[in-house]
């Protein structure tokens, strides 16, 4: 969720450290209520708040390019995931 992403971004920017664990501690899936355009907007906002303008602009460009490529692939019937 966006709240999880925001939490981890804030943790990183505040110097949180992690440890490698040889076990699964979380599972994230694609899709659901938090996928789609609203998710992109929320993610971009979180990145801007936590990392500044340049990472935000790079993410916006990535999202625009990915969205355009996905649209073309969908029209050609070549997309692996339609959502």
């Amino acid at each position: 969720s966006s709240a999880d992403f925001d939490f981890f971004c804030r943790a990183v920017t505040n110097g949180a450290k992690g440890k490698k664990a040889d076990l699964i501690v979380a599972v994230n899936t694609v899709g659901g209520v938090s996928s789609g355009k609203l998710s992109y907007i929320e993610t971009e906002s979180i990145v801007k708040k936590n990392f500044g303008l340049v990472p935000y602009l790079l993410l916006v460009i990535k999202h625009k390019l990915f969205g355009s490529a996905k649209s073309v692939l969908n029209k050609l019937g070549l997309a692996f995931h339609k959502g």
Side-chain angles (χ1 to χ4, degrees), residues 3-42:
D4 294 333
F5 181 64
D6 187 40
F7 169 78
F8 286 111
C9 288
R10 285 184 288 115
V12 167
T13 58
N14 288 316
K17 303 290 182 197
K19 288 191 170 197
K20 184 177 189 285
D22 290 327
L23 61 125
I24 298 171
V25 295
V27 176
N28 295 334
T29 59
V30 176
V33 174
S34 64
S35 65
K37 186 174 175 119
L38 180 59
S39 178
Y40 278 6
I41 293 168
E42 290 173 341

Side-chain angles (χ1 to χ4, degrees), residues 12-75:
V12 167
T13 58
N14 288 316
K17 303 290 182 197
K19 288 191 170 197
K20 184 177 189 285
D22 290 327
L23 61 125
I24 298 171
V25 295
V27 176
N28 295 334
T29 59
V30 176
V33 174
S34 64
S35 65
K37 186 174 175 119
L38 180 59
S39 178
Y40 278 6
I41 293 168
E42 290 173 341
T43 300
E44 291 165 358
S45 174
I46 291 165
V47 167
K48 185 176 182 183
K49 177 180 77 172
N50 288 290
F51 301 110
L53 187 61
V54 173
Y56 161 75
L57 292 174
L58 292 172
L59 183 62
V60 169
I61 291 167
K62 176 187 170 201
H63 282 166
K64 297 290 183 196
L65 291 174
F66 177 75
S68 297
K70 184 177 175 183
S71 176
V72 169
L73 290 173
N74 280 336
K75 287 179 183 174

